[in-house]
Amino acid sequence: MDRITKFEELYDEDVKTDTHTEEPGKDRDVHTGQRRRRSAGRLSRNRSRNHRGHVLPALLVIICFSAALGIIGFKLIVGLREKDNNRINAVEITAEQERLEGIRQSFSEGESTLSILRKYYPEDLVLYYDNRYSFYPVDKSLKKHSFDPEKVRKNTDGTWGYVDGDLKVEKGIDVSAHQGDIDWEKVASSNISFAMIRAMYRGYETGRLVEDKTFRTNIENAAANGIKTGVYIFTQAITKKEVDEEISMLSGLLGAYDISYPVVVDVEDVAGKNERMEQLTREERTEIVKYYCERISEAGYEPMIYFNIHGALELVELSELEKYDKWFAAYDSDFYYPYEYKMWQYKDTGKVDGITGNVDFNLYFPEKQ
């Protein structure tokens, strides 16, 4: 079909369409205007379709370009993270190598396993007891002391001092029947200002209460030579009833004497022995010690608790005993144990004129550290 014939068919269709819609009496120019408007509409729609045909490919190009940029950006981020991770891993490997080298060097210099573990685990308290190492996280809720190793003074006579401005620190000893007969006049001349004297103990197997056979002699002669005194009890009480028995006996012993230092309950265990208190849980032992301190206060004396690091970490719950003063035993001057105490037993091999053999040395801090 040629173009002229095609045009004529289109024209005839328009005429037929116009004839159906023509009203009588209308001028033919009206029909001519309608045909022109329809023709213009078809041209406009054709242009619109052609415009969309150009726009869609452009949108596809933009979308593909954006996706490509996103993929490139993602790969860059992943690459940077991998580089950071590799850098972190390299730093960690280097730190671990340095740590291992430091441990090797410490061993080669003769440091003990315990001191090395304590050095490399600063967030824990490391305990060696009964052929095993134990790790206890430092409890940040407990009160801490402020002792400084740099302020310890080690004297030529074997005693230690602590120098901290106007802080008054008193030197003392603790004694029992194990020291035998003591010449307290000579002890007083050795710059000893106080003595902690064992008053009594309970048998760790039999449970029998026993007065220390040298208690009365020691407390009377110490006081006669101007040495202030306190007392301690080695307890093996496993019930509150037994605590009451010990307090009753203790009150009878102390009634005649002026006690200016604390009355101490000793909660250390007997290493390698089948002691009575081994049957207690940590919570039960804590309750016994707390009740003991309450009864000492009721009797009119200042209570105090004696232990070493094993006792503090494994025998009692320190958080339950915060209100009571502590007497802590540690035979070095690094103050590794961080929690608060008021009396420090720093040596068990001291030598003092007037005492045959070894005696324990102590420092007492009237103001808590």
Side-chain angles (χ1 to χ4, degrees):
M1 185 183 295
D2 58 26
R3 286 179 290 180
I4 296 174
T5 304
K6 182 68 175 175
F7 178 80
E8 289 174 349
E9 289 178 355
L10 290 171
Y11 181 78
D12 289 340
E13 287 177 7
D14 286 340
V15 171
K16 291 175 184 177
T17 303
D18 292 342
T19 301
H20 288 302
T21 58
E22 182 179 358
E23 294 180 7
K26 292 289 184 181
D27 194 281
R28 286 190 59 87
D29 290 341
V30 174
H31 302 294
T32 302
Q34 290 175 347
R35 284 197 298 272
R36 288 173 180 171
R37 285 194 295 273
R38 289 194 183 98
S39 178
R42 281 196 294 272
L43 290 172
S44 176
R45 285 194 295 274
N46 287 336
R47 288 193 191 100
S48 177
R49 282 194 292 269
N50 290 336
H51 178 71
R52 287 197 297 270
H54 291 299
V55 169
L56 288 174
L59 287 174
L60 287 174
V61 170
I62 293 171
I63 291 170
C64 292
F65 183 70
S66 299
L69 286 178
I71 292 170
I72 293 170
F74 176 76
K75 288 184 176 180
L76 286 173
I77 292 171
V78 171
L80 290 173
R81 286 182 177 176
E82 287 179 350
K83 287 182 180 179
D84 287 340
N85 289 337
N86 291 336
R87 191 179 300 112
I88 291 170
N89 290 335
V91 171
E92 289 177 348
I93 291 172
T94 302
E96 185 63 21
Q97 289 173 340
E98 292 177 354
R99 180 188 182 94
L100 292 174
E101 177 59 26
I103 292 173
R104 187 187 70 82
Q105 185 66 25
S106 296
F107 273 119
S108 68
E109 293 175 355
E111 288 188 47
S112 69
T113 301
L114 181 60
S115 65
I116 294 171
L117 289 174
R118 288 178 171 178
K119 181 193 301 182
Y120 285 96
Y121 289 88
E123 299 300 317
D124 294 313
L125 291 174
V126 184
L127 170 68
Y128 180 72
Y129 185 81
D130 198 21
N131 296 317
R132 63 183 172 87
Y133 292 94
S134 301
F135 297 76
Y136 295 91
V138 175
D139 189 339
K140 293 180 171 51
S141 69
L142 296 179
K143 297 176 185 177
K144 308 298 189 299
H145 68 67
S146 59
F147 295 129
D148 182 355
E150 298 297 322
K151 296 178 180 180
V152 176
R153 299 293 181 265
K154 299 181 179 181
N155 304 312
T156 56
D157 62 358
T159 61
W160 293 359
Y162 189 86
V163 180
D164 186 10
D166 296 330
L167 179 65
K168 181 176 175 57
V169 180
E170 299 179 0
K171 297 180 180 181
I173 57 175
D174 59 270
V175 299
S176 67
H178 294 299
Q179 275 68 45
D181 294 332
I182 297 175
D183 186 335
W184 285 98
E185 184 177 357
K186 289 183 178 180
V187 171
S189 66
S190 300
N191 198 28
I192 298 298
S193 60
F194 74 92
M196 301 300 295
I197 301 170
R198 188 174 71 172
M200 51 185 279
Y201 61 92
R202 186 184 288 273
Y204 62 83
E205 288 183 337
T206 65
R208 186 169 61 93
L209 282 177
V210 181
E211 177 186 338
D212 187 298
K213 63 182 181 181
T214 62
F215 168 69
R216 298 173 192 266
T217 300
N218 282 336
I219 197 167
E220 291 172 3
N221 290 337
N225 285 278
I227 295 175
K228 292 175 284 189
T229 58
V231 301
Y232 69 95
I233 309 100
F234 178 76
T235 185
Q236 283 287 302
I238 57 176
T239 66
K240 290 183 178 181
K241 180 180 179 181
E242 289 186 345
V243 172
D244 291 336
E245 292 173 356
E246 294 185 17
I247 293 296
S248 178
M249 181 175 175
L250 181 65
S251 297
L253 289 174
L254 300 185
Y257 305 110
D258 181 18
I259 306 297
S260 55
Y261 268 63
V263 173
V264 181
V265 54
D266 183 345
V267 297
E268 64 183 319
D269 63 356
V270 183
K273 303 292 184 180
N274 185 25
E275 58 173 327
R276 302 174 81 239
M277 293 190 83
E278 277 188 339
Q279 64 186 282
L280 299 179
T281 65
R282 187 176 181 182
E283 291 75 17
E284 290 170 339
R285 191 188 295 249
T286 301
E287 283 301 311
I288 290 292
V289 173
K290 185 191 295 187
Y291 183 65
Y292 218 121
C293 290
E294 291 171 357
R295 290 303 317 277
I296 290 172
S297 294
E298 290 170 2
Y301 302 102
E302 178 187 353
M304 180 178 275
I305 304 165
Y306 172 91
F307 48 48
N308 54 21
I309 191 169
H310 164 59
L313 298 180
E314 296 193 332
L315 298 185
V316 295
E317 294 282 356
L318 291 176
S319 59
E320 297 295 316
L321 304 170
E322 274 277 77
K323 65 183 290 187
Y324 301 111
D325 291 332
K326 314 297 190 306
W327 177 9
F328 185 71
Y331 305 139
D332 53 52
S333 59
D334 60 2
F335 297 116
Y336 174 74
Y337 178 79
Y339 306 128
E340 186 179 74
Y341 51 96
K342 194 171 183 179
M343 190 182 297
W344 174 28
Q345 186 184 84
Y346 64 86
K347 183 179 288 189
D348 62 352
T349 56
K351 302 292 184 183
V352 175
D353 284 345
I355 298 177
T356 302
N358 294 331
V359 66
D360 297 336
F361 280 163
N362 300 276
L363 291 178
Y364 181 71
F365 302 86
E367 299 177 19
K368 288 185 179 180
Q369 298 299 298

